[in-house]
Amino acid sequence: MPGNIEGIMNGKIDLFFEHEGKYYILDWKSNYLGDNLQNYSPAALAQAMNDNNYHLQYLIYTLAVTKYLQSRLPGFDYEKHFGGVIYVFVRGVRRGGATGMYTVRPPLQKIQLLQNILQGEAIVKQL
């Protein structure tokens, strides 16, 4: 993740689902990254994530989902119950292929730090 997370965020969680006891966030992305599937490779998607500040977006989404699950799921444990975030760059997804999918599971410490920052409890140089 880049060191700079400032910027404007616009969006909403497209899909929040449970699979085999773990909860996931899925976000559909229609970004045009190029005509070639290589433009949707893991390295290209990492660059698109940086360019569009999607790291901040998934951190905020993860915090929101974590707070929701804490209020609704008795005994919620982030490490046990949260599966992660899936960004699906739909233009690059092909059956049986490895393109167009970016997945991440932010460390719990980062989510707790973001919560503290948003509550005004902590000042840090970077997430």
Side-chain angles (χ1 to χ4, degrees):
M1 185 172 110
N4 184 352
I5 62 164
E6 58 189 52
I8 296 174
M9 187 188 102
N10 182 20
K12 62 183 182 212
I13 296 172
D14 292 329
L15 180 64
F16 172 54
F17 67 97
E18 180 267 335
H19 177 69
E20 296 182 355
K22 292 189 181 264
Y23 294 84
Y24 297 86
I25 298 167
L26 185 139
D27 206 46
W28 302 106
K29 296 299 179 195
S30 60
N31 306 49
Y32 175 77
L33 304 179
D35 291 328
N36 185 316
L37 277 181
Q38 205 51 15
N39 297 113
Y40 297 88
S41 69
L45 295 185
Q47 186 62 49
M49 294 293 292
N50 291 341
D51 292 347
N52 292 285
N53 213 9
Y54 290 148
H55 300 288
L56 176 58
Q57 186 180 52
Y58 73 65
L59 288 172
I60 292 171
Y61 288 176
T62 301
L63 175 58
V65 162
T66 298
K67 291 181 76 55
Y68 174 79
L69 289 170
Q70 287 170 339
S71 73
R72 304 285 184 186
L73 188 64
F76 172 74
D77 179 311
Y78 181 89
E79 303 295 342
K80 180 179 176 184
H81 297 117
F82 185 68
V85 181
I86 306 163
Y87 275 66
V88 180
F89 289 77
V90 295
R91 296 174 190 260
V93 176
R94 299 295 183 276
R95 186 183 333 180
T99 57
M101 304 285 283
Y102 180 90
T103 61
V104 63
R105 187 168 161 269
L108 177 58
Q109 283 183 314
K110 196 166 281 192
I111 301 308
Q112 291 170 332
L113 180 60
L114 178 61
Q115 180 173 342
N116 291 342
I117 291 168
L118 293 175
Q119 292 176 340
E121 298 174 9
I123 299 174
V124 294
K125 57 184 176 180
Q126 296 177 3
L127 279 179

